[in-house]
């Protein structure tokens, strides 16, 4: 498990009939000081309003996560058993991934108590200490733990990687697989995703996939956004020979990183051709400058492109951020209702977006804007 979710301590706290809230076990020992426990005990052994709810509290440089449990029955002293098995991390730790673990542990212990009196029986409760030690060690080492408790109960825990929310997928975005499409297990995905898979080729944009697959546009966007969330695809811009690109500082990684070199040469070499040379690939990327279209590049470096697929060259460069697209954004400088559609000429909408929304081709849009004195085009 990464340091971002490292567990510093696991503790078991309960309400003693005469002593009140106390820590019965903690691993490692004495990690939670008396002062710290006194500060947070009202959130460890809680009033009914907070019971069976995940609680995270930060105090004295530590972050404690717990899920207080209350089992009511007349067999218990004061007619209730109150306990909490929680985790302690550094105050700066991101604990979102740990919260399901705490919730699941409280469920396991509740079930064990209801089935066999695991917590209320002093002899069986002592088994918690080695269980907690194993949990701490294995969750920190591998992010997963399988731990037999008795003949009929086994604890299964696994930390789920927390991913960032994916970008909003637009109709002019082009999805491209980040790994070989042959490794994709189609049956694991929903029906909409299965229906559009054949149309994801790294060159069709969302609107075109929707039309050709005969799937409603918003459903395609949602399906691709789901693939994006799991890192199966990434998004690039629509490819055209009139596009203009420029390199980014990351292009240097093509010279420094052997893994990127191998991946790139395998990706951009034309099928059936001898493997492309790194020199030619790097020269082509460096030939992408403001004012130079892909068509210009192909004319200028025709010799180098004999073994290199220029479409996949651009695609790989965008995927790895070695290059970026310079987009055209029309801006209406004077109010004139003849400039249609005026709401798209604000400098915030690219040619890709305008063409997708209006159905115009790039050539038609270019001609319309060139003949309109009220509009200028910005590159960015």
């Amino acid at each position: 498990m990464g340091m971002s979710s490292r567990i510093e301590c696991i503790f078991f706290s309960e309400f003693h009939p005469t002593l009140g809230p106390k820590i019965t076990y903690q691993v490692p020992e004495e990690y939670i000081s008396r002062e710290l426990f006194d500060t947070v005990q009202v959130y460890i052994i809680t009033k009914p309003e907070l019971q069976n709810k995940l609680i995270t509290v930060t105090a004295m440089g530590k972050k404690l996560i717990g899920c207080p449990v209350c089992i009511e029955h007349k067999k218990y002293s004061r007619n209730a058993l109150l306990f909490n098995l929680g985790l302690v991390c550094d105050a700066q730790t991101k604990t979102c991934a740990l919260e399901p673990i705490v919730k699941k542990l409280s469920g396991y212990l509740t079930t064990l108590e209801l089935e066999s009196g695991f917590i209320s029986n002093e002899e069986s409760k002592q088994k918690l200490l080695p269980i907690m030690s194993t949990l701490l060690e294995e969750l920190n080492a591998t992010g997963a733990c399988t731990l037999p408790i008795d003949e009929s109960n086994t604890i299964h825990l696994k930390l789920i990687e927390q991913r960032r929310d994916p970008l909003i997928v637009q109709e002019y975005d082009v999805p491209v697989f980040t790994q070989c499409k042959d490794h994709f297990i189609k049956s694991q995905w929903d029906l909409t995703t299965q229906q559009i898979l054949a149309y994801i080729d790294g060159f069709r944009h969302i609107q075109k996939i929707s039309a050709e697959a005969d799937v409603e546009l918003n459903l395609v966007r949602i399906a691709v956004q789901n693939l994006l969330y799991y890192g199966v695809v990434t998004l690039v811009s629509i490819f055209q020979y009139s596009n203009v690109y420029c390199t980014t500082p990351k292009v240097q990684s093509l010279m420094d990183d052997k893994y990127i070199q191998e991946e790139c040469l395998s990706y951009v070499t034309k099928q059936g051709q001898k493997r492309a040379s790194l020199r030619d690939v790097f020269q082509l990327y460096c030939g992408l400058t403001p004012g130079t279209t892909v068509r210009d590049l192909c004319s200028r470096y025709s010799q180098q492109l004999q073994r290199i697929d220029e479409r996949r060259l651009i695609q790989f460069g965008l995927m790895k951020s070695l290059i970026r697209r310079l987009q055209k954004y029309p801006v209406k400088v004077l109010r004139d209702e003849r400039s249609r559609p005026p709401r798209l000429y604000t400098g915030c909408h690219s040619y890709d977006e305008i063409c997708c929304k209006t159905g115009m081709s790039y050539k038609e849009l270019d001609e319309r804007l060139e003949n309109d004195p009220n509009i200028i085009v910005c590159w960015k």
Side-chain angles (χ1 to χ4, degrees):
M1 180 174 62
M3 292 297 292
S4 60
S5 299
R6 183 171 179 79
I7 303 166
E8 301 291 340
C9 170
I10 299 182
F11 68 89
F12 176 78
S13 178
E14 61 184 332
F15 185 86
H16 191 276
T18 55
L19 300 176
K22 68 166 191 167
I23 291 184
T24 307
Y25 306 116
Q26 57 174 310
V27 180
E29 292 183 12
E30 306 299 327
Y31 186 87
I32 301 175
S33 65
R34 184 72 218 179
E35 183 184 4
L36 175 57
F37 184 69
D38 288 344
T39 303
V40 300
Q41 67 172 5
V42 291
Y43 302 105
I44 304 298
I45 302 298
T46 67
K47 293 181 178 180
E49 295 82 8
L50 295 177
Q51 287 165 3
N52 299 309
K53 293 180 172 63
L54 272 170
I55 297 174
T56 302
V57 57
T58 302
M60 300 175 63
K62 305 296 178 188
K63 187 179 287 188
L64 294 86
I65 319 156
C67 183
V69 176
C70 175
I71 303 174
E72 296 182 346
H73 197 281
K74 61 184 180 182
K75 70 177 180 179
Y76 301 122
S77 178
R78 301 197 182 189
N79 298 321
L81 178 68
L82 289 85
F83 64 89
N84 193 345
L85 182 67
L87 310 178
V88 184
C89 303
D90 182 80
Q92 304 303 317
T93 300
K94 294 179 181 179
T95 56
C96 294
L98 298 174
E99 290 172 0
I101 298 284
V102 173
K103 190 71 175 174
K104 198 169 185 180
L105 282 170
S106 75
Y108 274 127
L109 293 185
T110 301
T111 300
L112 286 168
E113 173 60 28
L114 293 174
E115 287 182 354
S116 61
F118 186 82
I119 303 297
S120 54
N121 182 296
E122 289 298 323
E123 185 177 342
S124 58
K125 185 168 68 177
Q126 291 177 9
K127 296 179 182 178
L128 273 176
L129 195 55
I131 289 171
M132 290 160 58
S133 297
T134 304
L135 286 174
L136 180 66
E137 183 180 342
E138 294 194 6
L139 287 176
N140 277 338
T142 65
C145 182
T146 299
L147 194 60
I149 305 300
D150 52 36
E151 292 181 358
S152 55
N153 290 286
T154 302
I155 291 177
H156 298 279
L157 298 171
K158 184 177 178 68
L159 277 166
I160 304 300
E161 180 187 354
Q162 298 293 304
R163 301 173 185 267
R164 292 182 179 180
D165 289 339
L167 298 170
I168 300 299
V169 177
Q170 306 292 354
E171 61 264 40
Y172 47 86
D173 285 327
V174 178
V176 53
F177 279 98
T178 55
Q179 297 177 349
C180 180
K181 195 174 179 178
D182 297 336
H183 299 156
F184 191 87
I185 304 173
K186 188 176 177 180
S187 60
Q188 292 182 347
W189 299 85
D190 60 85
L191 293 175
T192 302
T193 303
Q194 292 183 37
Q195 193 169 342
I196 67 172
L197 278 180
Y199 301 92
I200 298 177
D201 61 355
F203 300 104
R204 290 183 176 95
H205 56 278
I206 297 295
Q207 192 175 68
K208 191 171 185 180
I209 292 171
S210 170
E212 294 188 11
D214 194 24
V215 177
E216 202 271 322
L217 180 61
N218 277 335
L219 293 179
V220 176
R221 288 170 63 170
I222 291 167
V224 171
Q225 192 166 26
N226 192 43
L227 293 172
L228 192 63
Y229 178 78
Y230 288 106
V232 177
V233 301
T234 189
L235 299 177
V236 297
S237 59
I238 296 171
F239 176 86
Q240 293 195 103
Y241 282 94
S242 58
N243 287 356
V244 175
Y245 301 89
C246 65
T247 55
T248 71
K250 286 189 177 180
V251 76
Q252 182 63 35
S253 65
L254 195 59
M255 301 305 293
D256 299 337
D257 190 324
K258 295 289 185 185
Y259 177 79
I260 291 284
Q261 290 174 15
E262 287 298 313
E263 189 180 4
C264 179
L265 296 179
S266 298
Y267 196 89
V268 306
T269 301
K270 288 179 179 177
Q271 286 189 347
Q273 289 284 343
K274 185 181 175 183
R275 187 180 175 91
S277 73
L278 179 62
R279 181 182 182 278
D280 287 347
V281 170
F282 194 72
Q283 189 175 14
L284 286 167
Y285 278 134
C286 292
L288 294 168
T289 57
T292 302
T293 65
V294 177
R295 187 179 292 108
D296 296 335
L297 187 82
C298 293
S299 300
R300 196 173 300 163
Y301 296 98
S302 56
Q303 186 71 28
Q304 289 87 337
L305 283 165
Q306 288 181 357
R307 289 183 287 165
I308 296 170
D309 185 329
E310 67 275 9
R311 283 161 48 108
R312 289 177 67 83
L313 178 83
I314 297 296
Q315 196 179 79
F316 185 86
L318 291 172
M319 288 167 62
K320 300 298 181 181
S321 300
L322 307 179
I323 60 173
R324 68 179 183 89
R325 169 98 176 270
L326 287 175
Q327 296 262 26
K328 295 166 80 172
Y329 292 83
V331 183
K332 183 174 63 174
V333 291
L334 293 175
R335 180 176 290 277
D336 186 344
E337 294 305 317
R338 291 176 301 171
S339 303
R340 296 288 182 180
R343 60 186 176 80
L344 294 177
Y345 301 153
T346 62
C348 298
H349 306 281
S350 67
Y351 263 44
D352 283 358
E353 181 178 355
I354 294 170
C355 289
C356 274
K357 289 185 183 300
T358 63
M360 283 190 286
S361 69
Y362 272 57
K363 186 177 179 181
E364 289 171 338
L365 182 58
D366 255 337
E367 289 173 353
R368 177 175 294 195
L369 297 183
E370 282 175 9
N371 294 326
D372 192 329
N374 297 319
I375 290 180
I376 61 172
V377 176
C378 294
W379 289 81
K380 57 181 180 179

